[in-house]
Amino acid sequence: MQTCKAKYDFTGQVALVTGSAGGIGQAIAEKFYQDGAYVVITDIQEEAGKKIAASLGNRAIFIPCDISHPEQVNQLVEKTVQHFGRLDIMINNAGINSTAAVDRVTTDKYPDETWQKMIDVDLNGTFYCCKAAARIMKEQKGGAIVNVASVAGVVALRLQVGFVAAKAAILKMTEAMACELAPHGIRVNAVSPGSTITETTRHLFYSDTGSFSELADRLISFIPQGRPGEAAEIAEAVVFLSSGSASYINGHNIIVDGGWTCGFNRDF
């Protein structure tokens, strides 16, 4: 696999990345740091988050936050500004999906508590983060927000109705916010990853003991590039949208899926 890693200059800018104690969020945080930004790692996984911040260096800090609680989100943004003096980039990556077979069921059997958890974290949490960041960015007269959605918000996947609904809502919410905040110099965009290798997807698909490992070959057969994505490949799209190179891109969703959705097979 060959990838082209663009280099951007975020010197002096502050990037806050939710859900960055591992997986895609960690890759995004590392990319921002490599390109000169001050980085705030935030997650509910405190030990992992502290380790990642320490491994990056003195331009990174860790602040714990459960994004499903608006008061914690407000404190997160306040602490970021207190520490670094500003907030230039908000990356809303934190989210959850069902990993247990009991939750991967049809709508008539879908647990109410699973639905509520998906909405609380994936949709409400993203909204709270955008709202808190927008307040600061309006005062600064500029900023960039990127919401990490999913191909599940573009084309419906089976047995994941809560996840699908939340991610689809994030895409329309992104467009609405882009319209409202652009006059204040704030751009709002989204990135929708396809199947990407993380600890969660290894647990589900990409290991011999994965809960749905028997489906992995069929899933990959629907991806024209014939493989799942890497977290660093998703990070490249997120960082691009946050950069000056994307200064006239607003309200857009970049799908990073190896071509899965362009020939989508609804049997999966």
Side-chain angles (χ1 to χ4, degrees):
M1 179 184 66
Q2 293 183 339
T3 59
C4 178
K5 295 184 178 181
K7 178 72 174 177
Y8 303 100
D9 184 6
F10 291 105
T11 302
Q13 296 189 52
V14 178
L16 195 167
V17 186
T18 70
S20 46
I24 292 172
Q26 179 182 349
I28 294 169
E30 290 172 346
K31 174 63 175 165
F32 273 117
Y33 195 89
Q34 291 163 7
D35 289 351
Y38 295 98
V39 177
V40 178
I41 306 291
T42 186
D43 207 294
I44 59 172
Q45 301 179 69
E46 294 196 26
E47 290 306 312
K50 289 176 182 177
K51 288 180 181 178
I52 290 168
S55 71
L56 290 178
N58 59 12
R59 285 185 285 108
I61 63 170
F62 172 75
I63 303 174
C65 180
D66 180 342
I67 65 166
S68 67
H69 295 283
E71 67 279 4
Q72 290 191 34
V73 172
N74 291 335
Q75 290 172 8
L76 167 67
V77 172
E78 288 170 7
K79 289 178 180 178
T80 296
V81 175
Q82 287 170 4
H83 189 88
F84 288 120
R86 58 187 300 109
L87 174 61
D88 301 284
I89 299 162
M90 183 78 194
I91 308 301
N92 295 309
N93 168 76
I96 57 172
N97 195 2
S98 302
T99 58
V102 66
D103 291 327
R104 295 283 180 120
V105 291
T106 54
T107 301
D108 56 304
K109 299 174 183 177
Y110 198 80
D112 291 347
E113 58 271 23
T114 303
W115 170 272
Q116 193 60 56
K117 191 172 182 180
M118 294 292 165
I119 299 302
D120 285 345
V121 177
D122 290 7
L123 179 56
N124 292 346
T126 299
F127 168 73
Y128 299 146
C129 290
C130 288
K131 183 178 180 180
R135 292 194 194 107
I136 301 301
M137 292 177 180
K138 282 182 71 174
E139 293 176 2
Q140 295 175 174
K141 304 186 186 309
I145 298 172
V146 180
N147 297 321
V148 178
S150 169
V151 293
V154 180
V155 286
L157 305 183
R158 296 175 186 271
L159 309 183
Q160 302 176 59
V161 66
F163 183 71
V164 168
K167 294 300 186 179
I170 286 172
L171 294 178
K172 283 301 173 185
M173 185 173 73
T174 297
E175 293 177 4
M177 290 177 173
C179 293
E180 296 173 359
L181 297 176
H184 303 281
I186 304 166
R187 295 182 301 107
V188 188
N189 289 290
V191 169
S192 289
S195 189
T196 306
I197 296 178
T198 64
E199 286 304 311
T200 299
T201 57
R202 282 193 182 94
H203 175 72
L204 288 173
F205 298 108
Y206 302 120
S207 71
D208 293 338
T209 59
S211 303
F212 305 101
S213 58
E214 71 280 2
L215 299 177
D217 288 344
R218 186 151 61 97
L219 190 162
I220 291 173
S221 75
F222 300 151
I223 301 173
Q225 286 187 237
R227 63 172 178 85
E230 299 284 348
E233 293 175 302
I234 311 304
E236 289 290 329
V238 171
V239 173
F240 162 69
L241 285 174
S242 306
S243 74
S245 295
S247 59
Y248 201 55
I249 299 176
N250 192 35
H252 188 63
N253 174 38
I254 293 182
I255 301 172
V256 188
D257 69 347
W260 183 5
T261 53
C262 71
F264 190 72
N265 188 325
R266 293 184 179 276
D267 185 44
F268 185 80

